[in-house]
Amino acid sequence: MTATAKKRILIIEDDRHIAEGIELNLSLQGHEVKVAQNGIEGLEAWKQWCPHLIVLDLMLPGIDGMQILQNIRLEDERLPVLILSAKVDAADRVDGFLVGVDDYMTKPFSLEEFLLRVGRLLTRDQWQREQDDTLKTPEQKQNVYRFGANTVDFSSGQAECCAGTIQLTEQEIKLLKLFIVNKGKPLSRSRLLEIGWGYNKGTSTRTVDNYIVRFRRYFEEQPKKPKYFKSRRSLGYVFDHDPIQ
């Protein structure tokens, strides 16, 4: 079996004609293809179907493509994502690459070029995963993160911390990963809600504050004097820690 033979490819695209055309051509190349026509369906399909590659439109009903990409990158930093969008401004491309897209094509597009890019992404991804499996340390393979006296095993969802042994919920894991990815950077409540929960901007809730209280209770020696999960007036929250020696 070659590197690009029969892979699962998820298309998140609300234009039915474009989605059907892509689906047909990828299927003819031997791939298994699924189509989601809005952001919510797309996120559900990604979680349940575990595709090898995602073709993603940016302007989607419900949750937009950028929010989908941000959600994906919290759990999988390597899954190939190709944005296929009518947005042609350089700023949109830059935003996509900053969040973690692997490739970006604008509509209208060349089908031949699209298929070549898909093949390249699938081949590169398989090669990188083989290399990573060879080079990773045992700790990296176990997906373990340490800060201070705390150890979080993301594979099992279990944390050994100041509060003892904790079984983290799926949402706690997602939010914790978001803080780790943005280590040292303030994150506003609205930003955390937008990425972590898929809320629209402007949503008012104390949900984030409640999770911060939990994290402080889990991971801080003195929850009322936090060392890792700090508040920043008018900015939100920031997670930071010294390098592990």
Side-chain angles (χ1 to χ4, degrees):
M1 182 167 124
T2 63
T4 58
K6 196 163 183 182
K7 300 291 185 179
R8 294 185 301 277
I9 300 178
L10 173 61
I11 303 167
I12 308 178
E13 168 64 69
D14 64 334
D15 187 312
R16 182 170 58 86
H17 297 295
I18 291 177
E20 288 178 352
I22 295 173
E23 180 183 19
L24 173 62
N25 282 276
L26 290 174
S27 297
L28 289 173
Q29 290 204 332
H31 300 300
E32 188 177 352
V33 186
K34 181 172 289 189
V35 175
Q37 294 189 323
N38 61 59
I40 295 174
E41 289 180 6
L43 282 175
E44 290 176 353
W46 158 62
K47 291 179 180 179
Q48 296 174 8
W49 198 48
C50 300
H52 296 101
L53 180 142
I54 293 179
V55 178
L56 178 64
D57 186 17
L58 290 181
M59 295 183 287
L60 294 165
I63 302 174
D64 67 32
M66 200 63 73
Q67 288 176 308
I68 292 172
L69 180 58
Q70 291 167 332
N71 271 271
I72 290 170
R73 286 298 176 245
L74 291 179
E75 299 187 27
D76 192 332
E77 297 179 3
R78 299 187 307 184
L79 173 65
V81 177
L82 188 160
I83 285 179
L84 195 59
S85 176
K87 292 188 173 184
V88 298
D89 290 345
D92 294 314
R93 290 174 177 268
V94 170
D95 288 343
F97 285 115
L98 285 174
V99 174
V101 73
D102 296 277
D103 206 346
Y104 193 117
M105 293 185 70
T106 57
K107 302 173 184 176
F109 60 95
S110 161
L111 178 60
E112 183 178 5
E113 180 184 356
F114 168 79
L115 294 174
L116 286 171
R117 292 195 187 199
V118 166
R120 180 182 62 83
L121 287 174
L122 290 171
T123 301
R124 188 186 70 183
D125 177 64
Q126 181 164 316
W127 181 85
Q128 286 180 336
R129 290 180 185 274
E130 290 172 352
Q131 294 299 307
D132 287 348
D133 287 342
T134 301
L135 298 174
K136 271 187 174 181
T137 65
E139 182 176 280
Q140 288 173 324
K141 289 182 179 180
Q142 292 171 7
N143 201 12
V144 171
Y145 188 84
R146 290 188 171 89
F147 61 101
N150 305 293
T151 300
V152 181
D153 185 339
F154 285 112
S155 298
S156 66
Q158 195 170 84
E160 298 291 338
C161 51
C162 297
T165 301
I166 300 293
Q167 187 64 45
L168 299 170
T169 67
E170 182 179 345
Q171 191 60 49
E172 287 172 339
I173 291 171
K174 190 173 185 179
L175 191 60
L176 186 56
K177 284 184 176 181
L178 179 56
F179 275 113
I180 291 171
V181 169
N182 291 277
K183 178 176 174 286
K185 302 176 184 178
L187 294 170
S188 67
R189 288 182 179 86
S190 61
R191 184 68 169 162
L192 289 166
L193 287 169
E194 179 185 347
I195 301 174
W197 283 269
Y199 286 17
N200 292 324
K201 293 180 180 178
T203 301
S204 177
T205 177
R206 301 298 289 180
T207 300
V208 171
D209 301 325
N210 293 334
Y211 274 84
I212 296 299
V213 169
R214 285 194 215 173
F215 284 170
R216 288 172 176 170
R217 189 170 68 245
Y218 297 163
F219 302 116
E220 302 281 2
E221 292 181 4
Q222 301 181 63
K224 293 185 178 180
K225 296 181 179 179
K227 179 179 179 181
Y228 305 115
F229 297 90
K230 297 181 180 180
S231 302
R232 289 287 184 266
R233 186 181 296 275
S234 76
L235 293 177
Y237 296 104
V238 61
F239 167 76
D240 206 355
H241 65 89
D242 294 329
I244 300 296
Q245 301 297 322

